[in-house]
Amino acid sequence: MSKFLKISNLKKTLRYLKKNGIRPTYYAMKERMETESADDYTYVPPTEESLLEQKMKAEQMTTRFSILVPAFETKEEHLRAMIDSVLSQTYGNFELIISDASSSEKVEKVVAAYTDERIKYRKKGQNAGISANTSQALAYATGDYAGLLDHDDILTRDALYEMASCIEKYKKEGVLLQLLYSDEDKCDGMEKRYYEVNRKPDFNLDLLLSNNYICHFMVMKRQLMQELGFRSVCDGAQDYDIAVRAVNVMMGKDRQPVKKEPLPIAHIPKVLYHWRCHENSTAENPASKQYAYDAGKRAVEDFLRTRGWKGTVSHLRHLGFYRTDYQPDLLPNREDVAVVGGKLIDEKNKIAGGIYTRKGEPLYKGLHREYSGYMHRAALQQEAEVVDIRCMKVSREAELVLEEMTGMPYHPHPGTGRFDWKKCFEKDRGLSEEEILDLSRRFCERIRQMGYRIVWEPVMVEKLGK
């Protein structure tokens, strides 16, 4: 309890109460208390032996990185920590470009104390916003890939090595990656405590349209980043905006983007970035930058507009998280999606299933329906590997697959339009829980093999009986 009752958490609770009301705040507070009491995360840095090995292997790789840092009146100790974290990389083929929009000389004086020629300092005449500041750094970039680093955050010593190693691995498989991202955590202002680790999934389009889960550490092909540029209209969410627009480019101009090949995006499942938290940072105080979340909403709206998907984007209860309500529904809007699945709720008002891994392992099972789960993902629309036949809507192509697999006519429920699985199997002895899950898994595997996406929609709910 004492861990929860710190000043920053009390402030967050009051802001949440004002925005969402008593009932949501009660469950949000209860969930946060349970989560924080169970948070036993400890960042374990690479061993000196592994770092030495990385330095030796790095000599065989040629990828060059441009690390872009927009700076503005940065505290000296934070700026030095950021620079030192880059200079201590086991992979040394990089340039660190610091674009300074400060009115004072505090940043310039700190940078001047470093003699490493890989550091490039650029003074911007005026502070025109973070997008303009980052654009200036990007204009001078010469690397194969450009990475985005905030002026008061920290890279782990193996960050660039892991990126370069991943790029080389995909090259050998004939894939030129366009975007890479890693896991991340948060640290306090003094870098004494690391917490709230963000273990991310592999690329997930609908999750990205719900939240900038890619975030830090993001690296993009330099030519692609320069072609897209940073938009001042999305200041505060400029990283999110450029990531979403990059995905749009990779998906191509085809208005019927059925997946045939995975997009050239890679996730590195290691913490490579420490996001520093202090009272004015977005990480510690989301409400400090409400404009950033409005900008993120615009980024998602622009993506939908570009792809011709008709939908309304709205903020969820937690800042920085969004949902899209498609008109009139998701399936007729998106030719890339063949199945939409929902949430199964048991008698105790807890999630019983609805979304599963490829092996059939349930996600979010046992979580109270009012909880949002780890990184709020249980409340977010997301691409799924498997959803449950007991709560799903399907396209005409998917109907035919179900008929083929079951040997029975497809029945839509007259009230909801969902697959009426009880009607389909009413003449049979019925299906056991194991048979239902097996059919769900095999059906979704067929759909994925056909190249379609499967989307989980958490507001679509089926209450399980006794």
Side-chain angles (χ1 to χ4, degrees), residues 167-175:
I167 291 168
E168 291 296 322
K169 174 188 174 184
Y170 274 81
K171 274 185 181 178
K172 292 177 181 177
E173 299 172 358
V175 177

Side-chain angles (χ1 to χ4, degrees), residues 56 78 218 262 319:
M56 296 174 62
H78 294 170
M218 183 177 75
L319 291 171

Side-chain angles (χ1 to χ4, degrees), residues 8 29 32 42 108 158 219 226 231 268 291 346 364 411 442:
S8 60
M29 183 175 67
R32 186 175 184 88
T42 300
E108 185 174 6
D158 56 339
V219 167
Q226 288 178 331
R231 303 192 301 165
I268 299 174
Y291 71 90
D346 64 19
Y364 318 127
H411 291 284
R442 290 188 291 108

Side-chain angles (χ1 to χ4, degrees), residues 256-262 335-338 383 444-454:
Q256 298 185 12
V258 173
K259 293 194 306 181
K260 298 186 183 301
E261 296 292 339
E335 297 86 351
D336 63 322
V337 178
E383 193 172 349
C444 290
E445 184 177 4
R446 283 279 301 275
I447 295 301
R448 284 188 280 103
Q449 289 174 347
M450 293 168 65
Y452 290 100
R453 286 188 171 89
I454 300 167

Side-chain angles (χ1 to χ4, degrees), residues 376-438:
H376 306 305
R377 288 176 195 155
L380 304 180
Q381 294 160 311
Q382 58 200 268
E383 193 172 349
E385 293 182 319
V386 179
V387 293
D388 203 297
I389 64 170
R390 288 171 288 186
C391 185
M392 71 179 188
K393 290 182 178 180
V394 301
S395 67
R396 178 54 184 161
E397 291 84 355
E399 287 181 12
L400 297 176
V401 173
L402 270 174
E403 290 180 347
E404 177 189 336
M405 292 183 69
T406 63
M408 302 177 187
Y410 177 86
H411 291 284
H413 190 280
T416 64
R418 303 173 191 167
F419 173 50
D420 194 342
W421 67 281
K422 291 182 179 179
K423 177 71 173 178
C424 181
F425 297 107
E426 65 180 355
K427 294 182 181 179
D428 192 38
R429 59 180 174 80
L431 298 179
S432 67
E433 181 80 9
E434 291 76 16
E435 289 172 322
I436 290 172
L437 293 179
D438 181 64

Side-chain angles (χ1 to χ4, degrees), residues 155-187:
L155 291 182
T156 64
R157 292 183 65 188
D158 56 339
L160 295 185
Y161 171 82
E162 293 292 350
M163 290 290 174
S165 181
C166 184
I167 291 168
E168 291 296 322
K169 174 188 174 184
Y170 274 81
K171 274 185 181 178
K172 292 177 181 177
E173 299 172 358
V175 177
L176 181 60
L177 290 174
Q178 297 295 306
L179 190 151
L180 301 85
Y181 62 97
S182 75
D183 294 346
E184 64 187 279
D185 64 19
K186 295 176 181 176
C187 69

